[in-house]
Amino acid sequence: MIFKHLLDMWKETNIPFEEIILTEEMVETGMDPTIIKNNMKKLVEVMLTEAEKNYGKKHESLTGLTGNNAPKLLNHKPKLLSDFNYVATITAISTAENNAAMGRIVACPTAGACGVVPAILYALKKVYNASFEDLVSSFIIAGAIGNVVAKKATISGAAGGCQAEIGTAAAMASAALTYYFSKDAEKCGNAASLALKSLMGLVCDPVGGFVEVPCVKRNASAANVAITTAEMALAGIESVIPFDEVVDAMYRVGKMMHEDLRETGNGGIAATPTARKLVEDIKKSWK
């Protein structure tokens, strides 16, 4: 799937962008658009249910390296974040910590980046009282963005670094947020481009190979990248580089990364003295 193709179809017709996406998916897969949309609804239901259930909750992760960050933020009176950013940030951390504790999540686009899109959807519901149908429509746009990346490049941290996971999640969330407020496909493309460019080159360096540090907090940061880039796109700020080309560039950057920077737990912050000591301590505690 190429985003420019979807965008051209939107410009040539008066059809809502989500319907164009569903129709194109039918052409590619042969699946009934109604079935596709119902599947998307189920995913949104899970994301919202788990976001509500785990909001600000403490979790017990496999290593103990994370699990108590969401309640810390919940009990902190924000001084810098808007209500929307605050809710989204708590949701992103809560969802990612739920994942680290083997809870139910939607891999969106991956488990390591599972907190970003739910953060946006839940914040829209909680702060703006968004309807379920509107959230599903926005999620369809997010899905198209993720699909473009998956088909043109990769969403795997092992193949392309964290930029492919958390970067894609931020692009998906930014486009979804932009669509909710504008219904403008071109602005969605700009939002996705701005978000992915902001996280270009991000390495995948989980301490000990566990999806906990720095993954959980990156979900929260990426949610705010999505919000910021969506705001820029809504204001009319454009990405000089089209989304398809940004995706191609991300893929090339990922291929240029040393393998130690692609989910091995051997590079980046995973190679710091503190990280290595933590892993040794974890191993000893398991004996």
Side-chain angles (χ1 to χ4, degrees):
M1 183 179 289
I2 299 174
F3 186 79
K4 184 180 184 301
H5 172 64
L6 297 173
L7 185 59
D8 287 344
M9 290 176 65
W10 176 75
K11 289 180 178 179
E12 292 169 3
T13 67
N14 292 319
I15 301 173
F17 195 41
E18 72 265 27
E19 291 184 18
I20 288 175
I21 291 168
L22 292 174
T23 301
E24 187 65 16
E25 189 68 14
M26 178 188 67
V27 172
E28 290 191 8
T29 67
M31 187 177 292
D32 187 330
T34 301
I35 294 175
I36 298 171
K37 188 170 184 178
N38 286 337
N39 290 337
M40 302 292 270
K41 286 180 178 180
K42 291 176 183 177
L43 294 177
V44 173
E45 285 176 355
V46 171
M47 285 190 282
L48 295 178
T49 298
E50 293 301 319
E52 180 73 30
K53 175 183 173 183
N54 293 288
Y55 190 78
K57 297 284 183 65
K58 182 177 181 180
H59 290 87
E60 296 293 334
S61 73
L62 183 65
T63 66
L65 292 175
T66 189
N68 63 349
N69 292 300
K72 286 180 179 177
L73 195 56
L74 181 65
N75 294 321
H76 165 74
K77 185 176 181 180
K79 297 175 177 59
L80 304 170
L81 300 176
S82 69
D83 288 344
F84 189 88
N85 292 69
Y86 182 59
V87 171
T89 304
I90 292 177
T91 304
I93 292 179
S94 301
T95 304
E97 291 192 322
N98 181 39
N99 174 59
M102 304 300 174
R104 186 174 70 151
I105 55 97
V106 174
C108 189
T110 63
C114 67
V116 184
V117 173
I120 297 306
L121 297 181
Y122 187 67
L124 283 171
K125 178 185 176 183
K126 196 172 180 70
V127 178
Y128 285 98
N129 196 30
S131 71
F132 182 73
E133 284 299 323
D134 282 343
L135 293 179
V136 171
S137 294
S138 293
F139 183 57
I140 290 170
I141 307 318
I145 293 297
N147 200 12
V148 169
V149 179
K151 290 185 176 180
K152 286 178 63 67
T154 180
I155 57 171
S156 165
C162 196
Q163 58 166 6
E165 294 199 25
I166 209 76
T168 301
M172 293 169 67
S174 186
L177 192 53
T178 301
Y179 193 71
Y180 177 82
F181 286 106
S182 72
K183 300 298 183 289
D184 188 313
E186 190 162 19
K187 288 184 177 180
C188 291
N190 285 318
S193 298
L194 294 169
L196 189 55
K197 287 192 297 183
S198 297
L199 295 164
M200 185 80 70
L202 185 61
V203 303
C204 187
D205 51 353
V207 172
F210 303 104
V211 188
E212 298 189 32
V213 176
C215 316
V216 167
K217 294 158 194 166
R218 277 185 183 164
N219 275 264
S221 298
N224 284 281
V225 168
I227 294 167
T228 302
T229 51
E231 193 76 84
M232 287 194 283
L234 289 168
I237 295 175
E238 299 179 354
S239 172
V240 174
I241 311 301
F243 182 64
D244 291 311
E245 293 183 34
V246 174
V247 173
D248 292 339
M250 183 272 283
Y251 186 59
R252 290 193 297 271
V253 169
K255 289 298 182 183
M256 293 170 68
M257 284 184 186
H258 190 278
E259 63 181 11
D260 284 351
L261 301 176
R262 289 185 277 136
E263 209 173 346
T264 61
N266 295 323
I269 66 162
T272 61
T274 296
R276 294 193 184 282
K277 184 178 184 305
L278 285 169
V279 173
E280 286 301 315
D281 290 343
I282 292 167
K283 288 179 179 179
K284 289 177 182 177
S285 70
W286 288 353
K287 290 181 179 179

